[in-house]
Amino acid sequence: MKIVVLAGGRSPERNVSLSSSVMITNALREKGHAAVLIDLFLGDELQDVQTIDQVFQRAWVPRDYAISTEILTVAAIDQLRTDGSKALFGPNVLAICQAADMVFLGLHGEDGENGKVQATFDLFGIRYTGSSALASGVAMDKRLSKQLLLQQQIKTPGYVIAKKGQPQPALAFGFPVVVKPANGGSSIGMQIVADQAELAAALPIAFQFDANVVLEEYVAGREFSVGILNGVALPAIEISVDDGWYDYTHKYQDHGANYQTPPAIPAAVHQQMQEMALVTMAVLGLTNYGRVDFLWRAPEIYVIEANSLPGMTPHSLLPQEAAASGINYAELCEQIVAGKLALLDK
């Protein structure tokens, strides 16, 4: 099968996306597919091929992509384009994707998970992994997703929305407070603040990444995540850190993060998390695969958020959960593609 692994883009999570996508390409090549990695933003000038179809015949040497500790700004990413364009789709991206049998979305962050790319592909008749444009956008926007969860009586931490350029809203809960951009991931722009002074300092940082910022009730509990693969809940994974909280560095560097799957929790709690993950996916309209993050403060289980395109890096949670179910990385990628094809054929 001819598969484009779409990577990079203009998101601050660009480096995370490239790490995921290199591993996905390695895996799909291992499975015998004609997989090619294409950067959404940089595109492909086709200088070394005569036709688009020959893109899929390029040699590929399996490799790794180390995630830098630097979080790229959109302005810095824009400098990577030699033509000066800030268009999300680089040269020949759409044409190459149209020639593929499937596009595996290795994108992360706002312009990869907010539905823009998915909506464009729908217009061009391009098949892609993951959820629909609408579901992707809803899941990405923490304002919308939390509203939907609360309407369905799914417990999630309390919150208010701060808007750039407007007065800070009153808090309906006390400190500590979690500050995070409404559209974003990988804990970029996120801080946990202990008082009003720290909150005032944290808001400008978060506003660098989004005009809407979620001020969320801090829930002191154990942290978990549950992956969903083609309608099946994988074993939960518990995340803990040696110091601080599970931030960008802990997520993507060898720096004091600890994982256990299946977790050492009562079977009834584990089952409830898995059931809540499936319900959350359904409420948000997510399909094919995804991941739902939780906090457990006994006896309550809180949904933090859902991820429509979970990370697939060496440190990511979904591959660890799949491995606990006997599904290796290459088979995980294969099942994601097969699952989406089955959905499209219905």
Side-chain angles (χ1 to χ4, degrees):
M1 189 181 298
K2 293 187 295 184
I3 301 177
V4 167
V5 180
L6 199 59
R10 296 181 75 224
S11 162
E13 294 176 66
R14 173 182 173 82
N15 282 326
V16 180
S17 166
L18 288 167
S19 178
S20 286
S21 297
V22 165
M23 289 190 64
I24 293 165
T25 306
N26 291 343
L28 293 173
R29 286 278 181 146
E30 178 186 326
K31 284 293 187 178
H33 297 289
V36 58
L37 190 152
I38 300 294
D39 191 306
L40 171 65
F41 181 57
L42 298 186
D44 195 308
E45 298 292 349
L46 304 178
Q47 294 177 348
D48 60 338
V49 294
Q50 295 178 340
T51 67
I52 284 178
D53 195 59
Q54 285 179 280
V55 168
F56 299 94
Q57 300 172 21
R58 289 176 179 165
W60 174 264
V61 178
R63 59 185 187 270
D64 297 321
Y65 183 92
I67 302 174
S68 169
T69 56
E70 178 187 10
I71 298 174
L72 296 173
T73 64
V74 172
I77 295 169
D78 285 344
Q79 298 301 312
L80 300 174
R81 279 281 283 273
T82 57
D83 61 3
S85 172
K86 297 180 181 179
L88 179 59
F89 286 80
N92 300 307
V93 169
L94 283 171
I96 294 171
C97 289
Q98 282 181 296
D101 299 307
M102 176 66 74
V103 176
F104 197 119
L105 295 179
L107 301 167
H108 300 311
E110 186 174 1
D111 277 342
E113 296 183 71
N114 63 6
K116 290 181 181 178
V117 172
Q118 292 85 344
T120 303
F121 282 175
D122 288 340
L123 293 173
F124 281 85
I126 296 170
R127 301 192 295 184
Y128 55 89
T129 57
S131 298
S132 69
L134 179 59
S136 298
V138 168
M140 188 67 183
D141 191 323
K142 296 175 180 61
R143 299 170 304 167
L144 294 175
S145 58
K146 287 174 82 70
Q147 288 173 15
L148 286 171
L149 293 175
L150 289 171
Q151 287 173 7
Q152 296 300 315
Q153 286 76 54
I154 298 172
K155 190 172 287 293
T156 186
Y159 72 102
V160 294
I161 301 296
K163 296 181 177 293
K164 191 173 185 178
Q166 296 187 16
Q168 180 193 309
L171 298 176
F173 39 83
F175 289 95
V177 168
V178 182
V179 181
K180 54 188 174 184
N183 291 272
S186 294
S187 300
I188 293 174
M190 175 176 164
Q191 296 183 64
I192 300 175
V193 300
D195 53 37
Q196 184 60 48
E198 289 187 5
L199 175 56
L203 280 170
I205 297 172
F207 282 135
Q208 293 178 33
F209 302 98
D210 200 307
N212 294 291
V213 170
V214 177
L215 307 182
E216 188 176 73
E217 173 190 11
Y218 177 80
V219 175
R222 293 165 65 180
E223 189 167 355
F224 300 83
S225 188
V226 175
I228 304 296
L229 177 62
N230 299 323
V232 176
L234 298 174
I237 187 168
E238 181 170 11
I239 308 106
S240 61
V241 296
D242 293 340
D243 62 298
W245 54 280
Y246 192 47
D247 60 6
Y248 183 89
T249 302
H250 284 105
K251 287 178 177 178
Y252 302 117
Q253 308 293 326
D254 291 318
H255 185 73
N258 311 293
Y259 309 99
Q260 183 173 352
T261 181
I265 57 177
V269 175
H270 192 184
Q271 181 178 350
Q272 187 179 355
M273 277 186 195
Q274 291 176 309
E275 291 172 352
M276 288 178 67
L278 289 168
V279 171
T280 297
M281 291 277 290
V283 166
L284 300 180
L286 299 176
T287 57
N288 191 198
Y289 76 116
R291 203 190 73 229
V292 180
D293 300 335
F294 295 93
L295 287 167
W296 178 42
R297 183 175 65 188
E300 302 291 351
I301 300 173
Y302 297 80
V303 172
I304 306 173
E305 62 184 55
N307 299 268
S308 61
L309 294 177
M312 298 285 283
T313 75
H315 297 273
S316 292
L317 306 176
L318 182 69
Q320 295 185 62
E321 295 175 78
S325 296
I327 304 170
N328 66 30
Y329 191 96
E331 185 59 29
L332 172 61
C333 294
E334 182 89 325
Q335 289 194 28
I336 289 170
V337 172
K340 187 55 184 279
L341 287 173
L343 288 171
L344 293 172
D345 288 342
K346 285 185 176 180

